[in-house]
Amino acid sequence: ELWASFRGRRMGGRELPLPPGYRGVLLRGGEPGEPPLGGPEDPQAGWVTVTGSFGAITDWGADAAPLPGRGLARALQWGPLAQAV
């Protein structure tokens, strides 16, 4: 369990690994008016760039850590199930 505070409220967290075969990515979009990285001939190239990745996500709850198998932990189970179907 992890503990932190946000705006003076106590929060409990639990780190959840992403399902096998999944990874999270951090994206950065171009600034408004900034030309795309691909140049004017390719207007969509470079508008979004991957700046990092992660293999786990933290589920936070107010005043207590979220229960295992509930909320976000349950939602993360749907990816492999949907892929199997």
Side-chain angles (χ1 to χ4, degrees):
E1 292 185 0
L2 304 168
W3 295 98
S5 65
F6 180 71
R7 294 186 180 179
R9 291 200 57 172
R10 183 177 176 184
M11 299 186 70
R14 185 178 311 280
E15 191 170 285
L16 303 170
L18 297 180
Y22 285 77
R23 73 178 177 131
V25 294
L26 302 173
L27 303 174
R28 181 186 178 278
E31 297 295 323
E34 180 181 312
L37 297 175
E41 67 281 350
D42 188 3
Q44 294 189 16
W47 284 105
V48 176
T49 306
V50 175
T51 60
S53 66
F54 54 92
I57 190 167
T58 303
D59 188 12
W60 292 100
D63 298 323
L67 297 173
R70 309 267 333 249
L72 183 58
R74 182 173 280 176
L76 289 175
Q77 296 173 355
W78 282 99
L81 177 64
Q83 188 175 10
V85 172

